[in-house]
Amino acid sequence: MKQAVKQNARFIAAQVLSRLEPKRDYAAAILNRMLKDTQQRQRATDLVFGTLRNLNAIDTVINTFAGCHVNRIQKKLLNTIRAGCYEIVYTPSVGSHSIVDEAAKNTKTIAGQKQVNFVNALLRQILRRITNRQISLSQANNKRTLPQSIETGCEFDTDFLPDSDKNTIEFLSTVFSLPQWLVTDWLSEFGSEKTRDICFACNRRPSVYIRINRLKITPIELIEKFHRENIELEQVHNDVGSEDMLRVTSPGAVSQLPGFDEGLFTVQDLTASQPVRLLEPQQNWKILDLCAAPGGKTTQLAEVTGDSASIIATDIDSERLLKLQENIDRLGIKSVEIMNYGQIEGMEFDCVLLDVPCSNTGVLAKRVETRFRLEPQAITDLANTQSELLEKAAVMLRPNGRICYSTCSIQRQENSDIIRDFLSSHPEFSFITERLVMTSARRFDHDGGYAAIIRRIS
């Protein structure tokens, strides 16, 4: 029995979901502790994160079609049912009978034979109400169909969703499991078409991208190395990525890829790589990365300057600096010096990279707990913190020096509003450029984020 449990990703996923309190815990932390008990790491991860991304929609399906409200189901059974419902609705390539059968077996392990019939009957009832597990959204009835991707959805036999035209906010909030206030904000800022694209991107399975460490290897050499090991990948061809970025499509842990231990690459989303490229740092600059940990942009600064700039990296969370040091060592970078936060007082720099704490609304597909935690007041509080950090960066800048301000948010209050307000009260600074990247679920999918460059003129 123990050996069967070890091999069962669905069992592990249900256990993680049962132990998780999304407003307090992080799914990845629980997964990392429990995945030692399964060889199906990627599958279990997909089940947990997929279920969380679509939790409200899944509960709507259970409440509507299963004949039993989620509040009346024992938690240890509920999350087995939720994970099963996720697979039924959102992974049409997986056979429905295997989903139900394994859910029943897991139920016996978790709760005993008496509960098996209940779980089995509930999931089969949901299956009976599905008319098409994968239908083109262009042909589907919106009131009956939960989107799986920008192209397909799962259609049921009854209208159970809000009218997408008359109740757009409620519809998008329900089918994409997002807070209504956030959807309302996006509709006001971006309009209905862009908001719909954002919602799809928030619920996508994110691709894995790596940034090639040109200090050690060329793109052609790394691609050839991967091909020799039968690693499938794609070079990025869009206006967000660059020739230094590759999408890895082979399953498996990134840390197990050939060249990882040698520091030939690092994981980074396309959008996260934008701020440093927008900044165009020079080899003779003295650069401060003020919110550096875990070091993705710090190491990128070193790589694009040929490891010849003078880079100081710090973070208010000193424990996270340990991870930064690990990344620097692995990538073989010599131009970065890590300092404690208090040590940088009084120093002057040619450039400050300021990747501020933010709401994470551009990375909801990866930081799944955010949709359960984020409140409107938090945006205001974060904006205050971001403004304070920008003021701190400004006093450390030499004349003609630059600040690169960036977030992984798509909220105007955290982005262009911060820069506008700062410039209005600091005539000694001028605006150079900015870019808002919207999160995308299309071919080279990516997160959302913002970056702006401002310069001290006196």
Side-chain angles (χ1 to χ4, degrees):
M1 176 63 70
K2 287 184 179 180
Q3 183 64 24
V5 171
K6 284 183 179 180
Q7 301 299 320
N8 191 336
R10 289 170 174 144
F11 179 89
I12 295 293
Q15 293 301 292
V16 171
L17 291 166
S18 294
R19 296 184 186 191
L20 177 72
E21 172 47 60
K23 290 188 176 183
R24 183 191 65 233
D25 305 321
Y26 288 95
I30 300 175
L31 270 165
N32 287 338
R33 291 196 297 269
M34 295 194 65
L35 281 172
K36 297 173 183 178
D37 297 330
T38 180
Q39 295 179 1
Q40 301 178 54
R41 186 181 190 91
Q42 187 170 3
R43 191 177 180 197
T45 301
D46 177 69
L47 285 170
V48 170
F49 280 76
T51 301
L52 289 173
R53 290 186 197 107
N54 300 282
L55 189 60
N56 290 347
I58 289 168
D59 283 356
T60 299
V61 169
I62 295 171
N63 292 341
T64 305
F65 298 110
C68 184
H69 196 280
V70 294
N71 291 339
R72 299 178 60 188
I73 302 173
Q74 296 178 48
K75 188 174 182 179
K76 62 183 178 180
L77 299 180
L78 176 59
N79 287 301
T80 297
I81 295 165
R82 282 170 166 166
C85 185
Y86 164 72
E87 283 199 275
I88 289 169
V89 174
Y90 294 98
T91 60
S93 61
V94 179
S96 58
H97 293 297
S98 69
I99 297 170
V100 176
D101 289 347
E102 196 158 349
K105 292 177 183 177
N106 291 338
T107 300
K108 184 176 180 180
T109 302
I110 295 167
Q113 181 64 41
K114 290 183 178 180
Q115 301 294 347
V116 171
N117 290 341
F118 171 72
V119 171
N120 185 67
L122 193 150
L123 289 176
R124 291 192 183 281
Q125 175 64 12
I126 291 172
L127 268 170
R128 282 193 290 269
R129 304 301 297 272
I130 294 173
T131 57
N132 194 329
R133 284 186 71 196
Q134 188 168 43
I135 186 172
S136 170
L137 291 180
S138 63
Q139 301 174 351
N141 181 333
N142 286 342
K143 294 181 182 179
R144 300 182 177 191
T145 306
L146 286 174
Q148 301 161 335
S149 69
I150 58 176
E151 296 174 344
T152 65
C154 179
E155 189 175 57
F156 291 78
D157 64 2
T158 302
D159 294 354
F160 72 107
L161 297 171
D163 189 295
S164 60
D165 295 321
K166 296 179 180 178
N167 301 298
T168 304
I169 295 171
E170 187 180 356
F171 172 80
L172 293 175
S173 175
T174 301
V175 302
F176 294 107
S177 302
L178 292 163
Q180 285 196 16
W181 69 266
L182 188 56
V183 172
T184 302
D185 190 63
W186 290 342
L187 287 167
S188 175
E189 177 71 16
F190 304 116
S192 59
E193 185 175 344
K194 284 188 177 179
T195 297
R196 185 178 174 84
D197 286 345
I198 292 168
C199 290
F200 274 112
C202 289
N203 283 31
R204 77 192 195 280
R205 296 177 178 90
S207 294
V208 174
Y209 293 94
I210 60 173
R211 186 188 74 234
I212 300 166
N213 181 3
R214 281 181 173 265
L215 299 175
K216 291 191 170 186
I217 197 167
T218 67
I220 292 176
E221 289 170 339
L222 185 60
I223 290 169
E224 290 176 348
K225 183 179 183 67
F226 279 4
H227 283 165
R228 288 195 297 269
E229 299 292 334
N230 297 316
I231 304 297
E232 297 178 5
L233 54 88
E234 289 183 279
Q235 285 188 279
V236 176
H237 300 291
N238 67 6
D239 64 346
V240 180
S242 77
E243 62 180 3
D244 289 341
M245 306 295 293
L246 302 173
R247 177 165 66 178
V248 180
T249 54
S250 289
V254 172
S255 60
Q256 300 303 310
L257 290 174
F260 178 83
D261 290 338
E262 297 95 321
L264 303 187
F265 60 86
T266 192
V267 177
Q268 188 176 47
D269 185 77
L270 301 184
T271 303
S273 71
Q274 283 284 296
V276 170
R277 292 209 300 273
L278 197 66
L279 175 62
E280 297 180 335
Q282 302 300 305
Q283 292 184 351
N284 62 340
W285 283 2
K286 183 177 181 180
I287 304 171
L288 171 66
D289 190 348
L290 188 57
C291 305
K297 294 180 178 64
T298 309
T299 54
Q300 187 182 8
L301 284 168
E303 289 168 18
V304 300
T305 55
D307 210 18
S308 296
S310 174
I311 303 170
I312 304 297
T314 190
D315 197 282
I316 197 168
D317 187 344
S318 58
E319 289 188 9
R320 297 183 72 217
L321 290 176
L322 297 175
K323 182 63 176 177
L324 172 57
Q325 185 65 63
E326 289 178 11
N327 286 325
I328 289 171
D329 292 342
R330 183 178 65 83
L331 296 169
I333 288 168
K334 308 299 182 185
S335 60
V336 174
E337 180 182 0
I338 297 176
M339 290 187 176
N340 290 327
Y341 203 70
Q343 292 180 276
I344 62 171
E345 294 294 336
M347 299 179 70
E348 286 190 337
F349 299 89
D350 298 297
C351 170
V352 178
L353 176 62
L354 186 60
D355 189 40
V356 294
C358 69
S359 63
N360 297 317
T361 56
V363 292
L364 290 174
K366 295 175 180 173
R367 301 181 186 177
V368 293
E369 299 87 2
T370 298
R371 70 186 69 208
F372 301 100
R373 300 176 181 181
L374 193 59
E375 300 290 344
Q377 182 58 44
I379 304 290
T380 301
D381 295 340
L382 283 163
N384 291 333
T385 299
Q386 291 154 358
S387 295
E388 291 171 1
L389 286 167
L390 188 53
E391 293 285 349
K392 183 178 179 69
V395 301
M396 297 181 172
L397 210 61
R398 294 170 178 165
N400 293 315
R402 298 186 176 198
I403 295 175
C404 176
Y405 174 91
S406 68
T407 74
C408 54
S409 166
I410 58 173
Q411 309 306 116
R412 184 179 63 184
Q413 190 176 352
E414 300 177 82
N415 295 331
S416 58
D417 282 359
I418 297 288
I419 298 300
R420 181 201 64 201
D421 292 346
F422 177 83
L423 292 174
S424 68
S425 60
H426 290 80
E428 72 275 21
F429 278 83
S430 64
F431 174 81
I432 296 180
T433 190
E434 67 180 348
R435 186 177 187 192
L436 175 66
V437 177
M438 304 306 296
T439 183
S440 172
R442 301 190 183 276
R443 186 187 170 199
F444 288 106
D445 67 293
H446 53 76
D447 295 332
Y450 173 84
I453 311 296
I454 58 176
R455 181 172 67 92
R456 185 178 191 127
I457 55 180
S458 62

